[in-house]
Amino acid sequence: MNNLINKLYRNHALIYKGLLFVCTTFLIVYLFPKSGKFRYNFERGKPWQSENLYAPFDFAIKKSEEEIDSEKKNITENASLFFNVDNTIRTKVNNLYPNAFTKAFSETVPKPLLDTLFSAGKEIISDLYTFGVLSESYNFSGDRAVTLLDERVEKQNTLFVNLVGQNEITEIIDKILIKYDLSQYKTTFVSLFFDLIEPNLTFDKSFTDKVLQEELDKIAYARGSIERETLIVSKGEVVEGDKFQILKSLQSEYESQIWTKSNYYWVLFAYTLLVALALLMLLLFLRKYRTKVFENNTKVTFIFFNIFLMVFITTLVVNYNSKYIYVVPICILPLVFKAFFDARLGLFSHVITVLLLGSIVPNSYEYMFLQITAGIVTILTVSELYKRANLFISVGQITLIYIVAYFAFFVIHEGSVETIKWETFVWFILCGLATLFVQPLIYAYEKLFGLVSDVSLLELSDTNSKLLKELSNKAPGTFHHSLNVANLAEASANEIGANAMLVRVGALYHDIGKMKNPTYFTENQSTGINPHDELSSKESARIIIDHVIDGIEIARKNKLPDRVIDFIRTHHGTSVVYYFYMKEKEDFDEVESSDFSYPGPRPFSKETAILMMCDSIEAASKSLKEPTSTKIDAFVENIINKQIEDGQFLNANITFKEIQSIKKVLKHKLANIYHLRIEYPE
């Protein structure tokens, strides 16, 4: 049992990666659309590229969206409107009319005229309530059919134009009075009916909507059917009109049948295999080419999390409305990975993610071509992400690539630009703007996952930071030395294409451990007193060696990133404190070199190797007397060649050619420092 526990403990990192791999695979498969994939690709107006296609089963020909929308529009525009009638209102108005009429007209009016006026008023009431008076204004077409309901029972059918609105009462009064030649009494009648007439029609919206929905539900979504073994399309035949709609119907039927029948689990298993294969390729890439990343579970988690996040966001957008698919800023992925790792890992992860998204999005080939191209442009154009102008320029280039590629695809598909959807270009612009969100996203990731980007390195390179100010106050000579090393290291890194910002920051902080005992280091001994004179060689060597351990402790206390602490750990590698070692050998015959050796480790990257070279060269250059170009060349060659002989660069991925380039830079820089002229041959 103990052996099993010990074995699990020793392999806990691999077990974690396995669990992460399985969880990410199932989460992505869960997000995938619940349908199979039609095996044929076809486009409207293009020839059928595959063999003759016969119907594999009976299926209905589905109507196109345009046909269904047209039917819905026709039903909606011609659907009957339902109004409730209050019959008591008309009776009430007729009962109140005689008294109101008597009050409105004086007794001096001759009786024959009075009878005519009374009859005109009765006719006005009759005309107003023939169909009814509306309670409010409605913006319906006059030829819309109207059904009048009395207690929800159909009473009468008419057109909306026959219903009287509030603003039409005066017109009816005027019309009747003209008929009776009584226009001079218009003001009196208007005043009379202003208080008398009450609306008796109210629009029954809920019932109208219910009836409309019932009519819409009766729409047939299919027109005709295709029997099994019927020839659908021949090879080379242009796919258009009914052919296109039949193929779309077959595709829809095929996908729905595949996912709902007994082979559901087979399709699910197939999706799982594809996703697992893609993620496995990523893990194998990390293991073979990015070992340090692979061994760090936090970084592997970070990579898998970002891939899943992009799949999740894209799925949400596709489920909402697939026309917004290009608003999703997929290019944030290579940007983030390049900021924290490198361009090759960023591009590889981006391609894997786009391949996964190909199973989710419509027009998968077009989508993958655009996104992979945009990802390549992102990797090629975005450099020095901490410079804001670079990010804006790169985002502009990415957006332009999207627009150009989409335009080319559209022209290939449609054969013209007349029907191009210009709104898609707006989605690309929005995608570009969303990509600018990468800056705050990188900051958030740094805090969540403890990673370091060039933006953070730029902040750390500020010599006004608390730790570097403390170094300049406590150990001014060491601070000046660190600045010189930083300049040499940055120039060397630029020469061989290494991370110049990282190596500069590492150089600035590599000797912060000397703050603990600053006077024990020659660059800080301004009084001429050397405390080592009172110590043994072993004690002196121990103090010198301990500045590495002290530097690591100070760095951790000040929460410096591990990438920077690596420079503190490796800048002396496993080299020997040569001066005190030789001094000890003068006094004793047998001396253990391990007592005078730095704990290491040796440099394990180009950047840490560069720092070791530059640190040694800068420190030793102070001992040069009457330097010449020849002396400087020999000086640089001797120091770096000795480091190579000691095997200090065996773990660093740096080549002899790159070391030669670094030597050339250091010789040139030292010549400039000592203001030497080039020695021309006589």
Side-chain angles (χ1 to χ4, degrees):
M1 185 65 182
N2 288 335
N3 290 336
L4 178 61
I5 293 172
N6 290 334
K7 192 173 182 180
L8 289 174
Y9 179 76
R10 285 195 303 270
N11 297 292
H12 72 279
L14 280 175
I15 293 171
Y16 174 81
K17 291 181 185 71
L19 290 173
L20 179 66
F21 169 77
V22 171
C23 290
T24 308
T25 299
F26 281 109
L27 283 172
I28 292 175
V29 171
Y30 176 77
L31 293 175
F32 272 22
K34 302 300 185 288
S35 63
K37 279 286 183 180
F38 190 49
R39 61 178 293 191
Y40 300 102
N41 291 316
F42 60 92
E43 297 175 25
R44 188 195 298 269
K46 300 294 180 184
W48 178 256
Q49 300 294 335
S50 304
E51 67 278 3
N52 293 353
L53 178 63
Y54 295 88
F57 43 73
D58 296 342
F59 65 93
I61 304 173
K62 294 186 177 180
K63 295 178 181 175
S64 66
E65 290 185 10
E66 293 79 9
E67 290 176 308
I68 293 171
D69 288 342
S70 176
E71 286 188 38
K72 286 182 177 180
K73 183 180 179 182
N74 185 51
I75 290 173
T76 303
E77 290 178 351
N78 295 297
S80 183
L81 304 171
F82 292 87
F83 287 84
N84 292 316
V85 181
D86 186 351
N87 289 317
T88 61
I89 298 295
R90 181 170 185 173
T91 304
K92 178 183 175 183
V93 170
N94 280 322
N95 291 337
L96 293 174
Y97 174 66
N99 290 333
F101 180 83
T102 302
K103 292 178 181 178
F105 293 93
S106 63
E107 296 178 353
T108 57
V109 177
K111 190 172 184 313
L113 179 58
L114 199 64
D115 291 341
T116 304
L117 290 169
F118 186 81
S119 298
K122 292 289 285 184
E123 190 170 339
I124 290 171
I125 294 173
S126 177
D127 272 20
L128 289 174
Y129 289 104
T130 299
F131 297 103
V133 179
L134 295 169
S135 58
E136 56 183 282
S137 298
Y138 298 98
N139 191 28
F140 295 121
S141 172
D143 58 355
R144 285 289 294 273
V146 170
T147 300
L148 304 181
L149 303 174
D150 185 5
E151 298 294 332
R152 285 296 174 99
V153 176
E154 185 176 326
K155 178 184 176 183
Q156 194 173 5
N157 293 316
T158 184
L159 297 177
F160 182 75
V161 71
N162 294 326
L163 307 185
V164 179
Q166 296 286 329
N167 58 342
E168 297 173 350
I169 295 175
T170 304
E171 296 177 10
I172 291 176
I173 293 172
D174 193 38
K175 183 180 72 172
I176 300 298
L177 292 179
I178 290 173
K179 175 183 174 182
Y180 284 89
D181 197 20
L182 299 172
S183 297
Q184 65 271 30
Y185 295 99
K186 178 180 177 181
T187 304
T188 307
F189 270 102
V190 169
S191 177
L192 166 65
F193 287 116
F194 182 79
D195 296 323
L196 186 64
I197 298 300
E198 294 182 30
N200 68 332
L201 296 179
T202 54
F203 180 51
D204 194 336
K205 188 176 186 306
S206 62
F207 191 71
T208 301
D209 290 344
K210 179 183 177 182
V211 173
L212 174 60
Q213 189 58 50
E214 288 175 355
E215 291 298 316
L216 292 174
D217 291 340
K218 294 177 183 177
I219 293 177
Y221 287 83
R223 49 174 178 82
S225 62
I226 299 292
E227 293 183 0
R228 188 171 180 271
E229 298 298 332
T230 301
L231 177 64
I232 296 175
V233 62
S234 303
K235 185 174 182 178
E237 189 176 354
V238 177
V239 178
E240 57 186 356
D242 282 347
K243 293 287 183 186
F244 179 77
Q245 198 55 42
I246 291 171
L247 285 170
K248 292 293 288 183
S249 302
L250 176 60
Q251 180 183 27
S252 175
E253 188 71 22
Y254 181 87
E255 291 177 353
S256 63
Q257 282 193 11
I258 271 193
W259 202 258
T260 54
K261 289 186 176 179
S262 59
N263 53 3
Y264 167 88
Y265 292 107
W266 279 110
V267 177
L268 192 64
F269 175 69
Y271 270 133
T272 305
L273 280 180
L274 289 177
V275 175
L277 188 63
L279 296 180
L280 182 62
M281 293 303 103
L282 180 57
L283 278 177
L284 292 175
F285 172 84
L286 294 176
R287 185 174 182 178
K288 185 171 179 63
Y289 297 106
R290 297 295 181 270
T291 308
K292 293 295 179 183
V293 176
F294 181 79
E295 291 172 353
N296 190 317
N297 281 344
T298 302
K299 291 180 179 178
V300 176
T301 304
F302 173 74
I303 293 169
F304 275 63
F305 169 77
N306 276 277
I307 291 174
F308 171 74
L309 184 64
M310 282 300 165
V311 175
F312 176 70
I313 293 173
T314 305
T315 303
L316 289 180
V317 173
V318 170
N319 290 340
Y320 174 70
N321 193 331
S322 60
K323 77 175 184 178
Y324 300 121
I325 189 66
Y326 288 111
V327 178
V328 181
I330 300 295
C331 286
I332 279 183
L333 196 66
L335 277 175
V336 168
F337 287 163
K338 187 178 180 182
F340 289 119
F341 306 113
D342 59 78
R344 191 175 177 187
L345 174 57
L347 183 58
F348 193 89
S349 303
H350 176 72
V351 171
I352 291 292
T353 306
V354 173
L355 290 175
L356 290 174
L357 293 176
S359 298
I360 298 174
V361 300
N363 299 323
S364 55
Y365 173 74
E366 176 183 321
Y367 177 85
M368 289 191 291
F369 184 93
L370 260 65
Q371 296 296 2
I372 291 176
T373 304
I376 293 171
V377 172
T378 303
I379 293 297
L380 293 177
T381 60
V382 178
S383 58
E384 299 177 323
L385 193 59
Y386 55 87
K387 294 181 180 179
R388 289 171 294 178
N390 287 359
L391 180 61
F392 278 94
I393 293 169
S394 297
V395 166
Q397 292 172 332
I398 293 165
T399 305
L400 180 62
I401 288 297
Y402 272 131
I403 291 173
V404 170
Y406 174 78
F407 176 82
F409 266 109
F410 188 88
V411 172
I412 290 171
H413 291 166
E414 301 297 329
S416 70
V417 296
E418 295 177 0
T419 58
I420 195 166
K421 298 177 181 177
W422 298 104
E423 64 176 17
T424 308
F425 295 151
V426 177
W427 308 145
F428 291 137
I429 294 170
L430 290 176
C431 177
L433 295 175
T435 306
L436 296 174
F437 184 70
V438 70
Q439 287 281 21
L441 187 64
I442 287 173
Y443 177 79
Y445 280 152
E446 286 177 338
K447 301 305 177 187
L448 286 172
F449 292 91
L451 300 171
V452 184
S453 70
D454 285 350
V455 180
S456 292
L457 293 176
L458 180 64
E459 295 173 357
L460 289 170
S461 67
D462 183 7
T463 53
N464 289 316
S465 65
K466 179 183 174 183
L467 190 55
L468 290 180
K469 276 205 165 188
E470 186 181 352
L471 177 64
S472 67
N473 291 330
K474 290 184 177 180
T478 300
F479 178 71
H480 186 259
H481 159 73
S482 298
L483 285 176
N484 289 337
V485 174
N487 291 331
L488 292 174
E490 186 177 19
S492 301
N494 283 325
E495 182 69 19
I496 66 170
N499 190 331
M501 179 59 68
L502 176 61
V503 77
R504 179 176 181 81
V505 173
L508 289 173
Y509 290 91
H510 79 284
D511 270 344
I512 56 174
K514 292 181 178 180
M515 286 193 290
K516 195 167 184 179
N517 297 300
T519 56
Y520 284 89
F521 300 90
T522 54
E523 67 263 24
N524 300 312
Q525 294 170 359
S526 57
T527 60
I529 299 172
N530 191 344
H532 288 288
D533 295 340
E534 301 176 4
L535 302 174
S536 68
S537 297
K538 275 190 177 181
E539 289 173 327
S540 295
R542 182 48 48 199
I543 291 173
I544 298 297
I545 291 169
D546 281 350
H547 88 272
V548 173
I549 308 300
D550 296 335
I552 294 171
E553 289 178 0
I554 293 169
R556 294 204 184 282
K557 185 178 179 182
N558 287 271
K559 297 181 179 178
L560 288 183
D562 287 338
R563 288 176 79 186
V564 177
I565 295 175
D566 286 340
F567 288 91
I568 301 173
R569 294 165 55 220
T570 62
H571 74 277
H572 285 296
T574 56
S575 61
V576 175
V577 184
Y578 192 73
Y579 175 81
F580 292 109
Y581 175 65
M582 295 305 295
K583 189 177 178 183
E584 183 78 357
K585 287 188 76 172
E586 291 174 3
D587 299 331
F588 301 96
D589 292 332
E590 292 186 6
V591 179
E592 290 289 338
S593 62
S594 59
D595 294 334
F596 296 86
S597 299
Y598 285 96
R602 294 168 177 171
F604 48 77
S605 66
K606 287 181 183 180
E607 289 76 17
T608 51
I610 289 169
L611 178 61
M612 173 179 270
M613 296 182 217
C614 296
D615 181 43
S616 302
I617 295 293
E618 205 285 330
S621 67
K622 299 294 188 291
S623 63
L624 279 173
K625 295 177 181 178
E626 299 180 3
T628 64
S629 294
T630 305
K631 279 186 178 180
I632 287 174
D633 288 355
F635 166 77
V636 171
E637 290 287 344
N638 288 337
I639 290 178
I640 295 180
N641 286 343
K642 188 175 185 305
Q643 290 174 336
I644 294 172
E645 289 170 8
D646 289 344
Q648 297 298 329
F649 306 135
L650 289 177
N651 297 332
N653 58 334
I654 192 166
T655 64
F656 283 115
K657 183 178 180 181
E658 289 170 335
I659 292 174
Q660 286 301 118
S661 299
I662 293 168
K663 286 179 181 178
K664 183 179 177 182
V665 170
L666 293 175
K667 291 171 185 176
H668 179 70
K669 287 289 182 182
L670 286 179
N672 288 339
I673 290 171
Y674 289 105
H675 306 290
L676 297 179
R677 292 182 178 273
I678 298 172
E679 295 180 356
Y680 294 99
E682 294 182 0

